[in-house]
Amino acid sequence: MALYGADEFSPIIWTGSSVRLMDQTRLPMEELWFETSDYREIVGAIRDMMVRGAPAIGIAGAYGLALAAMELSRTANGGFSDELGKAGIEIKNARPTGANLAWAVDRLLCVSRSAQSVEEVVSDLTAEAVKIHKEDSAFNHEIGKYGASLIPWGSQVLTHCNAGALATGGYGTALGVIRTAWSDNRIERVFATETRPLLQGARLTAWELVQSGIPATLVSDSSVGQLLRKGMVQAVFVGADRITANGDVANKIGTYPLAVMAKETGVPFYVAAPTSTLDLSLSTGDEIPIEERDASEVLEFAGKRTAAIGVDALNFAFDVTPNRYVNAIITEKGIVRSPYRRTLSALLEAEVA
Ligand code: MRU
């Protein structure tokens, strides 16, 4: 099996018998790769955010299940399918909010059911994981083309968190739109929010933009109102972790206030995501499980305590933006707008047809 993930930059590389992950907790100071063939270490890497971003987590989870199948083909005595199912649950539980992780694991488990032998399960799951990986980066190029068409010439745009190559199989969703728009000369500057508390904007989006030669300005999360009110931003682009049937969007904490502020100031707010992030089994965003992470991420900065001793912290990793603040959702199948309950289901039906 060929090395996959090395032709276009991807934070995940499949070697045929192991997975390499770019350790995103170390960026931008160190570009280190972590390699494992143990699915339990993939679970740990997802939980500890060595790999993060909903689509990238889905791809890592898919490779994780393929690795579990390889291991079980050597160790399981008769209970292969049950053990594989248990590994799938363990992987899916690594992080709860992003839809792509459960979507990818379930897609592989479904493939495993039509295999005729354990050997066939191993090769089919491996092939399916590579397919998910390839599809994701290809879809992002489609998202990029659709999204770029929404950007007026000479725009300054703003993005939150990291929805770039690092968060996906390659190229990025919101950052994919920005990359395409930059190469079409539509964009003059990108504002990236720091994204407290783990600084995905300052560490990861800024790193990607600088690497790509796209003029980038970092702003604190609390600057967005001032930037938008002063007319310095013509469009906001974010990714998504889960989108429900009515078009509500879970994304990195701080997305909801950004969307409200964009509406208040008349700036269009766009969500870019592959259809694998859609979860039409949930009716509204109220049903999305929102991950709460360790308080230490808020109480400390770079491993050093910064908050007053004795105070506690509440650390929601994501928030939900109600659909009324979302001007459009950009997918690999096209752009959809309100009423989302109708347009999103029509989009997925078109996929099946
Ligand atoms: O906690 P993270 O870094 O995994 O959160 C990532 C985000 O919220 C991204 O915006 C989202 O997953 C979309 S990535 C294409």
Side-chain angles (χ1 to χ4, degrees):
M1 177 75 58
L3 200 74
Y4 183 68
D7 42 355
E8 172 178 71
F9 173 78
S10 175
I12 305 169
I13 293 174
W14 173 247
T15 69
S17 57
S18 66
V19 176
R20 290 185 199 142
L21 301 173
M22 184 173 239
D23 183 349
Q24 300 190 33
T25 65
R26 308 292 281 267
L27 282 171
M29 299 311 172
E30 291 175 300
E31 295 174 24
L32 293 179
W33 290 84
F34 167 77
E35 182 164 353
T36 184
S37 47
D38 183 344
Y39 83 90
R40 297 164 202 84
E41 289 195 321
I42 302 272
V43 172
I46 293 172
R47 207 182 35 235
D48 299 341
M49 294 176 64
M50 203 179 264
V51 58
R52 32 71 48 206
I57 291 171
I59 295 161
Y63 285 132
L65 196 69
L67 289 172
M70 279 181 188
E71 181 185 309
L72 289 167
S73 71
R74 294 186 299 267
T75 59
N77 287 325
F80 179 84
S81 297
D82 287 351
E83 293 303 315
L84 190 68
K86 281 187 204 156
I89 292 170
E90 227 180 296
I91 295 168
K92 287 201 265 186
N93 286 341
R95 286 190 83 190
T97 302
N100 307 59
L101 181 55
W103 168 86
V105 168
D106 287 341
R107 180 163 150 178
L108 261 67
L109 287 173
C110 184
V111 164
S112 77
R113 279 180 216 115
S114 41
Q116 303 299 314
S117 65
V118 165
E119 293 68 34
E120 210 175 295
V121 173
V122 171
S123 68
D124 288 358
L125 293 200
T126 305
E128 195 69 11
V130 170
K131 191 165 172 226
I132 288 174
H133 193 176
K134 280 188 180 163
E135 270 175 12
D136 189 69
S137 60
F139 288 170
N140 289 342
H141 286 271
E142 296 305 309
I143 290 172
K145 281 184 222 152
Y146 284 120
S149 69
L150 298 168
I151 303 180
W153 305 101
S155 289
Q156 301 199 125
V157 301
L158 183 140
T159 188
H160 183 56
C161 193
N162 173 267
L166 288 167
T168 63
Y171 202 64
T173 54
L175 222 53
V177 172
I178 288 169
R179 284 183 205 286
T180 306
W182 168 252
S183 54
D184 291 352
N185 293 317
R186 288 175 184 266
I187 282 183
E188 286 185 354
R189 176 157 299 277
V190 180
F191 291 103
T193 56
E194 277 184 304
T195 318
R196 282 281 293 151
L198 295 181
L199 303 181
Q200 288 93 331
R203 295 187 303 105
L204 310 178
T205 299
W207 182 77
E208 287 198 44
L209 289 169
V210 169
Q211 298 251 329
S212 304
I214 302 175
T217 301
L218 188 65
V219 293
S220 60
D221 298 351
S222 43
S223 300
V224 296
Q226 176 70 353
L227 275 171
L228 289 165
R229 201 181 66 82
K230 280 177 72 76
M232 294 171 75
V233 173
Q234 281 67 56
V236 176
F237 288 90
V238 297
D241 289 84
R242 195 185 293 245
I243 301 172
T244 54
N246 69 337
D248 289 350
V249 175
N251 192 50
K252 179 51 54 193
I253 193 79
T255 302
Y256 173 34
L258 171 58
V260 174
M261 201 67 75
K263 186 162 185 154
E264 167 70 17
T265 52
V267 175
F269 178 88
Y270 298 117
V271 173
T275 50
S276 51
T277 303
L278 299 179
D279 180 358
L280 304 196
S281 75
L282 301 187
S283 180
T284 77
D286 292 341
E287 296 162 51
I288 299 174
I290 297 294
E291 178 182 5
E292 286 183 42
R293 295 187 60 85
D294 202 274
S296 62
E297 291 177 354
V298 175
L299 297 170
E300 297 171 359
F301 192 82
K304 283 211 167 115
R305 178 91 186 189
T306 47
I309 302 294
V311 75
D312 196 5
L314 179 58
N315 187 12
F316 288 120
F318 302 96
D319 60 24
V320 174
T321 299
N323 58 24
R324 64 182 175 278
Y325 296 105
V326 180
N327 290 75
I329 297 173
I330 307 151
T331 75
E332 77 279 9
K333 300 274 170 199
I335 299 171
V336 292
R337 295 181 188 266
S338 178
Y340 291 109
R341 213 175 271 286
R342 185 167 61 70
T343 56
L344 286 174
S345 65
L347 192 78
L348 286 197
E349 273 159 30
E351 201 170 52
V352 174

